[in-house]
Amino acid sequence: MKERTDAPTGKPPGIDQIDRLTGILRPPSFSAAVLLVPFVSILILIMLIFLLSENPARTLFFFFLGPFRNLYSFGNMLNSSIPLIFGALGITIAMKAGCLNLGGEGQIYSGAFTATAAAIALSPLGIAAGIIACLAGALAAGAMSALCGIFKARWNTNELITTFLFSSAAIHVINYLVSGPFQDPESSLQSTGKIAAGLRLPLILAPSNLSAAVFIAVFAAAAMHVFLARTKTGYELRMAGINLLFARYGGINTKLNTVLAMFFSGALYGLAGVFTVFGTHFATVKDFYVGMGWNGLAAALIAGFSPVGVIPAAVFFAWINAGARAAMQNSDITFEVALLVQAVIFFLSTSAVIRNIFSGKKPW
C-alpha cells in the first residue's frame, strides 16, 4: 500500500498552525492600509488649509509646528494623548473579543468621579488612598461595561446599544452630582473638590501639564500586547473575536470571555478618567470627558487595533487637535478643521475599499 503523507504526527497543532488552517489571520497587507490613513489625512488637511485660509503658509506653520514650539505646548500635546491611549486600549480589547464598546465617555466620567470621591473620602490613608481610588474608578467603569457584556452573553443584547445608553444615563447622573452635592463652592468651575496634593501624580516637562501618567499609559499598552499575544486567556479572547463558532467548537467559554473583555474595556476607559483627575485636573470637572471616548476610538482605528500601535496613533491624534488649536489662535481658521480631519480618519479607517486595494482585491 502507498504510504500516506498527510498522516497526523501525533503532535497537537500549535497556535500558529491553527490560525493558518482556519484562515483567520489578518492579511499582512492590512498594515499598509493603516499607514495610509494618517498620510491621506494630512494631505486632505493641507488642501483644506489652502482652501480656507487667506494666509496658508502661516496657518500651515502653526498647525504643523505649533505644538512643538516650546515645552509647554509639546508637554500639553503629549498629556492630551494619555486618555486617548487608555481609551484606544479599551476599544481594542473589546474589538479583539468581537465586541464594540460605545460607552467610553460615560465610563471615563464614571471612573473619574468614583476615583475623585474615593480619594477625597480616604485622604487620611495617604498613598493607599490613591491606590484604592484608582482601583475603585477602574472597577466602577468596568462593572458598568461588564453589565452590558452580561446582557450580550445571556440574552444576545446588542452591546452597541446598551453601552451607549448606559453611558448616556451615567453622564446625566454624574453631572447632577458634580454640579450639586459634590460641587466645590470655592471653585470657579463646576467641579468637585480637589484631591490631596500628596495623591497627585508628579508633573514632568514643566510648565506643561504632562504627568507621570504617560509612563503608566505606555506600560498599559505593552502589558496588553503581552496579554493578548502570549497568554491563554488573551488567545481565547482573540479566537472568540475572529471566529466565534471555531472558538466554541474548541471548548472556549465565549460567554465568559465576552464579559471579561467588556469589563477590561470599561476598566481601561475608567483609567483614562482616573489619570486625568490624578495627573491633570485634580478634580472631576463637569463635562471634561467630551470627545475623549470618540477620539480614543479614532486612535484605535488608526492603529488597526494594535495595542502597541495605539501609542503613536494617540500622539498623532493629539497632534492634530493641538495643531488645530495653535492655528486657531494664530491664524484665520477655526477648530472645525480638526473635526473635518477626524471625520476623514473615521472614514478611511473603516473603509473596505482601502483594505481591498492593499489586499489585492477589487476595490469595489
Side-chain angles (χ1 to χ4, degrees):
M1 292 180 61
K2 184 178 179 180
E3 183 179 355
R4 288 176 59 94
T5 58
D6 57 347
T9 61
K11 181 187 297 184
I15 290 175
D16 293 336
Q17 291 172 304
I18 294 175
D19 286 345
R20 287 193 293 270
L21 289 172
T22 55
I24 55 179
L25 284 177
R26 178 178 293 167
S29 57
F30 177 68
S31 59
V34 171
L35 293 175
L36 181 68
V37 171
F39 178 74
V40 175
S41 302
I42 291 174
L43 287 181
I44 293 176
L45 169 63
I46 294 173
M47 292 171 57
L48 288 172
I49 289 176
F50 272 100
L51 288 173
L52 302 176
S53 177
E54 295 181 0
N55 189 350
R58 177 181 176 84
T59 303
L60 286 170
F61 172 81
F62 282 104
F63 205 114
F64 284 92
L65 299 180
F68 303 96
R69 286 178 298 168
N70 47 55
L71 286 179
Y72 178 79
S73 300
F74 179 66
N76 284 343
M77 180 193 73
L78 291 181
N79 188 61
S80 65
S81 72
I82 294 172
L84 301 188
I85 292 174
F86 281 106
L89 291 175
I91 196 68
T92 293
I93 195 167
M95 287 295 293
K96 291 292 187 181
C99 305
L100 183 55
N101 183 0
L102 292 186
E105 298 199 336
Q107 291 156 22
I108 290 171
Y109 209 14
S110 299
F113 177 78
T114 303
T116 303
I120 293 174
L122 302 176
S123 57
L125 298 180
I127 298 298
I131 298 173
I132 295 172
C134 290
L135 292 175
L139 288 173
M144 186 166 67
S145 180
L147 186 59
C148 300
I150 292 173
F151 291 161
K152 179 178 182 179
R154 181 66 178 84
W155 296 289
N156 200 28
T157 306
N158 192 318
E159 76 278 12
L160 275 74
I161 297 174
T162 55
T163 53
F164 183 78
L165 291 179
F166 272 56
S167 171
S168 300
I171 286 171
H172 289 298
V173 172
I174 297 171
N175 275 342
Y176 163 73
L177 295 173
V178 170
S179 59
F182 287 85
Q183 183 174 3
D184 183 6
E186 299 180 358
S187 174
S188 59
L189 301 173
Q190 285 188 310
S191 70
T192 64
K194 292 186 179 295
I195 63 175
L199 301 181
R200 302 173 187 179
L201 291 172
L203 299 179
I204 55 180
L205 289 185
S208 74
N209 293 323
L210 181 63
S211 73
V214 67
F215 302 118
I216 302 175
V218 172
F219 173 80
M224 179 180 288
H225 172 74
V226 173
F227 170 73
L228 290 173
R230 301 295 181 184
T231 68
K232 177 178 178 290
T233 303
Y235 175 74
E236 290 180 349
L237 289 178
R238 290 188 292 114
M239 289 302 99
I242 297 172
N243 192 321
L244 185 62
L245 288 177
F246 175 79
R248 286 176 180 171
Y249 283 124
I252 295 174
N253 189 339
T254 55
K255 292 185 178 182
L256 176 61
N257 284 327
T258 295
V259 178
L260 284 177
M262 292 298 289
F263 172 78
F264 288 138
S265 176
L268 286 163
Y269 269 123
L271 287 176
V274 167
F275 289 118
T276 299
V277 170
F278 279 79
T280 303
H281 299 310
F282 312 123
T284 299
V285 180
K286 185 179 179 181
D287 293 334
F288 82 90
Y289 64 88
V290 173
M292 287 184 177
W294 297 107
N295 291 350
L297 174 58
L301 286 170
I302 295 174
F305 302 110
S306 164
V308 177
V310 303
I311 297 174
V315 173
F316 171 78
F317 214 84
W319 168 67
I320 291 291
N321 287 331
R325 290 190 181 91
M328 178 182 66
Q329 295 168 357
N330 296 279
S331 66
D332 57 348
I333 67 167
T334 64
F335 186 75
E336 279 68 24
V337 171
L339 300 181
L340 290 173
V341 176
Q342 293 174 17
V344 171
I345 290 172
F346 272 107
F347 173 76
L348 292 177
S349 299
T350 57
S351 174
V353 174
I354 297 294
R355 300 185 189 187
N356 288 343
I357 289 174
F358 282 89
S359 62
K361 300 178 182 179
K362 292 182 180 179
W364 308 103

